[in-house]
Amino acid sequence: MALVVAGECGIPPIPQCAEAAAVDVTEAALAEHLAQLAKQVPEGFTVISQSPFIVLGDEHPDVVRRRAVHTVKWAVDKLKQDYFKRDPVEIIDIWLFRDDASYTNHAHLLFGDTPTTRFGYYSESHHALIMNIGTGGGTLVHEIVHPFMRANFPRCPAWFNEGFASLYEASAENNGHIRGTINWRFKGLEKAIKEGRTVSFQKLTSMTETQFYGGDSYSQYYAQARYLCYYLQEKGLLVKFYHEFVASAASDPSGYVTLKRVLVESDMDAFKQKWESFVLGLRGV
Ligand SMILES: [Zn+2]
């Protein structure tokens, strides 16, 4: 299914026909995949099997190992602890290129791609996350969320898929759980709130992928969705919302009814004002 719209993270929309199969990647499939990779991995790369991913990088081997454990394994363990039961059904390679030049050159050499973002992107055809790790690990955690969301909530709408993934692009551990922290998306959202440009949550949650990803406002939609997730997290409601949303998705595909129920809010215009005050109060936190 070739869709051209893509988020700023480069993740293509989730094919609506995809259903997660409850099968794990087998050891045999993994061994075969590693044997194939060995034939194409350029010299100087370290290859680490970090289930359900393969991590490949051209930084110092100790640094690649550290990223595989402290970023990839940590994020996967923490996300599975609170949210995801199923691993992605496909083997996904995470390529960590050490700087702009390595990223651009290898994206071209290995995948025939010319990246449109300097941070990294997902290649659906190669089942690979192609990351410029020189820009930091935030985008990597964001991108790790998407294959898990596909495997566990294939009909997840764009607003929650991107809001939830964006939440963890800046994250830390708090009481043994993953917690999103305030990040660069705050500033643009603060400006949008002050200028009265935010959209109603009914509109945000009901957007099609074309409406969410297309047009000039996608960055604002990402931010609004992220800080709605952040609000839920800070009120101790995000884990509950995720599981109730998944369970109710057949009758409430946008999540709007579930959102109102979990927030215990009947007047969502009043809630939006409350949420905007909350967000504006985050400056200086
Ligand atoms: Zn994304």
Side-chain angles (χ1 to χ4, degrees), residues 72-91:
V72 177
K73 182 179 189 309
W74 174 78
V76 167
D77 286 350
K78 294 300 162 190
L79 289 166
K80 287 170 80 165
Q81 179 184 342
D82 284 340
Y83 302 104
F84 301 130
K85 287 194 178 72
R86 293 172 177 167
D87 280 342
V89 292
E90 71 276 35
I91 301 168

Side-chain angles (χ1 to χ4, degrees), residues 26 57 66 84 102 107 117 120 143 183 231 244 268 275:
T26 63
R66 203 173 65 225
F84 301 130
S102 172
T117 158
E143 298 296 347
N183 75 337
Y231 179 94
E244 292 201 14
M268 288 300 276
W275 172 81

Side-chain angles (χ1 to χ4, degrees), residues 153 157 241 244-245 248-259 261:
F153 189 9
F241 174 71
E244 292 201 14
F245 188 7
S248 309
S251 60
D252 178 30
S254 75
Y256 185 66
V257 174
T258 310
L259 181 65
R261 188 175 68 242

Side-chain angles (χ1 to χ4, degrees), residues 7-11 142-143 146 161-162 165-166 169 185 213 222:
E8 59 186 6
C9 57
I11 278 283
H142 177 131
E143 298 296 347
H146 286 311
N161 195 17
E162 295 302 349
S166 297
E169 68 203 359
R185 294 188 195 271
Y213 293 112
Y222 270 70

